[in-house]
Amino acid sequence: MSRVGFIGTGHIAAPMARFLAAKGHSVVVTERNADVSAALHASIGAQVTDVQGVLDRSEIVFLCLRPPLAETVLAPLRFSENHRIVSVMAGVPRATLARICAPAQAFVQTIPLGFLEQGGCPLAGFGDTDLLKALFEPENPVVPVAEEAALNAHFAVCAMVPGLLDRLQETASWLEAQTGDGDGATLYTVQLMAGFLTAMEKSAGAPGRERDALGTAGTLSLTMVETLRRHGSDRAMIAGLDAVIRQLEPKP
């Protein structure tokens, strides 16, 4: 088992720390976000130290800072050429990581969400994907990508999740207004989508095939698909993905 450190302890780092501790790795975390680090110390025995202390005690280092803080926090630190770096900081390109984490040379960038702790979270990875596989598979499948631009496209799809949650909340609120039962409306809306997506095959084109199987002529499903398209939901989704990609493009 490995000594794994986390620089930044928040919504994404904590589930990964708990998952890796359950797999037998030793975990050390920064003091940043004192409530989370204290909870990790209490629940999984994580060591809590300053940022340089994380590096000094770790073989594998997860960078979980907000991207604007990356250079300020990381550049003054003393990395080792033996450190293996996992970055979950969207918008911090490989070239920047290599510069501020020198002399470390082994990097992988990925995109986790909190449900990784329960398994089933796909991890797109650019770089040392063998490290990701060793840490997170078989519970969480790793999807290697060949170029950083392709990873950014996966970041854009990951950013789509809160957008879809916004739509689900609107749907659950609409159902609550019809029924007067907020808990029941939310349970029905969320479980309906979760169950359907879990059962759906994952090969290319599967969402479209399932859409067409449900939305045949004269059905309520087709009415919904056509109405959403008529109001521009398809264009809005693509516009959102394109906007995220533009935000991730290297600045001149």
Side-chain angles (χ1 to χ4, degrees):
M1 294 294 105
S2 300
R3 292 177 285 118
V4 181
F6 288 84
I7 297 179
T9 48
H11 180 68
I12 298 301
M16 290 192 292
R18 290 191 293 265
F19 177 89
L20 293 172
K23 301 268 278 190
H25 300 281
S26 64
V27 174
V28 57
V29 301
T30 55
E31 298 165 316
R32 301 176 70 89
N33 198 327
D35 290 342
V36 175
S37 55
L40 289 172
H41 174 71
S43 62
I44 63 173
Q47 299 178 62
V48 181
T49 184
D50 60 20
V51 182
Q52 185 62 51
V54 168
L55 291 181
D56 295 342
R57 292 167 171 80
S58 304
E59 303 164 282
I60 300 167
V61 182
F62 281 78
L63 306 180
C64 307
L65 299 164
R66 293 197 306 275
L69 298 177
E71 184 134 11
T72 300
V73 173
L74 299 176
L77 301 178
R78 298 184 303 278
F79 284 83
S80 163
E81 62 183 7
N82 296 319
H83 279 134
R84 302 177 76 182
I85 308 295
V86 182
S87 172
V88 302
M89 303 183 296
V92 180
R94 171 61 56 85
T96 300
L97 289 173
R99 176 172 54 79
I100 62 180
C101 299
Q105 299 179 29
F107 295 91
V108 63
Q109 296 159 263
T110 190
I111 319 160
L113 288 178
F115 70 93
L116 169 147
E117 187 176 2
Q118 286 76 46
C121 179
L123 296 171
F126 173 60
D128 186 5
T129 52
D130 286 343
L131 174 60
L132 282 186
K133 292 178 180 181
L135 292 173
F136 294 112
E137 286 190 342
E139 294 87 351
N140 299 282
V142 173
V143 181
V145 299
E147 298 178 351
E148 193 163 14
L151 182 70
N152 285 342
H154 286 78
F155 272 124
V157 173
C158 195
M160 178 184 69
V161 171
L164 293 178
L165 291 175
D166 195 34
R167 302 286 78 75
L168 282 180
Q169 181 59 60
E170 290 177 352
T171 301
S173 296
W174 179 89
L175 184 56
E176 179 183 0
Q178 307 301 310
T179 66
D181 180 2
D183 289 342
T186 299
L187 172 64
Y188 182 82
T189 301
V190 172
Q191 190 59 50
L192 183 71
M193 293 302 301
F196 188 87
L197 291 174
T198 297
M200 189 178 72
E201 65 169 303
K202 308 303 189 289
S203 61
R209 291 193 295 274
E210 294 289 351
R211 174 203 63 210
D212 294 342
L214 291 169
T216 55
T219 61
L220 301 177
S221 297
L222 184 60
T223 296
M224 177 62 72
V225 169
E226 290 179 340
T227 301
L228 288 173
R229 286 180 173 173
R230 190 162 57 249
H231 285 270
S233 67
D234 52 343
R235 297 188 299 278
M237 181 64 70
I238 297 302
L241 294 168
D242 288 342
V244 173
I245 283 288
R246 287 193 297 272
Q247 190 172 340
L248 292 170
E249 290 175 349
K251 304 299 185 291

